[in-house]
Every structure is written in structure tokens, then in C-alpha cells.
Amino acid sequence: MYRGREGQWAFYLHRISGIGILVFLILHVLNIASAMWGPEVSNAFMKFYHQPVFQLGLLVLIAGVLYHGFNGLRIILMDFTAWGVRYQRQLWYAVWVLFVVFYLPFLLKIGGGILGGSHGD
């Protein structure tokens, strides 16, 4: 199942996406906590987060959440069904199909905004 094949890539990507989501959650909590220092500080953080690099980060975050969620469902199927391990490779490709279907609208909307210069305004 592993040894450089789909299962190993699924394992690595699941861990990386989980760490990325954790980093976002920490930044999000810090951003919300900035309200303790008044609206000027909070608004400065919000303005800072609307730069194009953070819009790209939003696309990466959405990708991580989608992959992590769909792969988590694959892991549940592998753990709790009699057939999941046997079809783990097909399930991994199904994760990617679902990922692309659900990610494309975000990519078009946010990516178009970045390229068009709106930066999420």
C-alpha cells in the first residue's frame, strides 16, 4: 500500500494539509485576539491580510481543507469497511476527482479576483 505509491502520498499530503490548517487556525485566533487592542489594530491586521500573497494563501488553505476532508473520508472508509483497503488506490483517485470538482469554483473566483486586482475587496 505504501512504498512511494498512492497510499504514501496520501499519508504525506494528509499530514501536510493538517499542519497547514493548524497554522491558519493559529493566525486566525491571533487575528481575532487583535480586537482586544482596539479597532485600529484589528483593522490594520485585516488590511494586511487582504494583500495578494494572503489571497494566494487562501487558495492554498481551501485546497488543504478540501484535500484533508476528502482524504479523511477515504481513511474512514478504509478503517470501517471490509472493502476499503482493497480499493484504497481507487478511493485516492476519487479523492482527487472530488477535490478538483469542488476546488475549481474557488480557484476561478479567488484566482480571478487576484488576477483582476480586486484582492477580495
Side-chain angles (χ1 to χ4, degrees):
M1 182 175 356
Y2 288 94
R3 297 193 175 121
R5 301 204 50 148
E6 293 85 354
Q8 188 167 9
W9 283 107
F11 172 83
Y12 289 146
L13 291 173
H14 198 74
R15 296 311 183 269
I16 292 168
S17 63
I19 291 169
I21 294 166
L22 176 65
V23 168
F24 166 76
L25 287 174
I26 292 169
L27 287 173
H28 182 68
V29 168
L30 292 174
N31 184 35
I32 298 299
S34 71
M36 293 187 301
W37 294 291
E40 299 83 20
V41 175
S42 184
N43 289 338
F45 272 112
M46 290 305 290
K47 186 176 181 180
F48 180 72
Y49 289 140
H50 277 82
Q51 296 180 49
V53 69
F54 286 102
Q55 296 298 307
L56 289 173
L58 179 61
L59 283 173
V60 172
L61 172 68
I62 293 168
V65 168
L66 286 174
Y67 176 80
H68 197 80
F70 290 138
N71 192 57
L73 294 174
R74 180 187 75 89
I75 292 169
I76 290 170
L77 289 174
M78 288 175 53
D79 286 346
F80 294 108
T81 65
W83 51 267
V85 173
R86 186 177 20 200
Y87 294 107
Q88 70 89 19
R89 179 182 296 159
Q90 292 87 343
L91 288 170
W92 193 63
Y93 288 116
V95 163
W96 283 108
V97 168
L98 289 171
F99 172 83
V100 168
V101 167
F102 280 84
Y103 187 65
L104 274 177
F106 291 105
L107 182 63
L108 295 173
K109 176 67 175 163
I110 297 170
I114 293 169
L115 296 175
S118 71
H119 308 302
D121 296 334

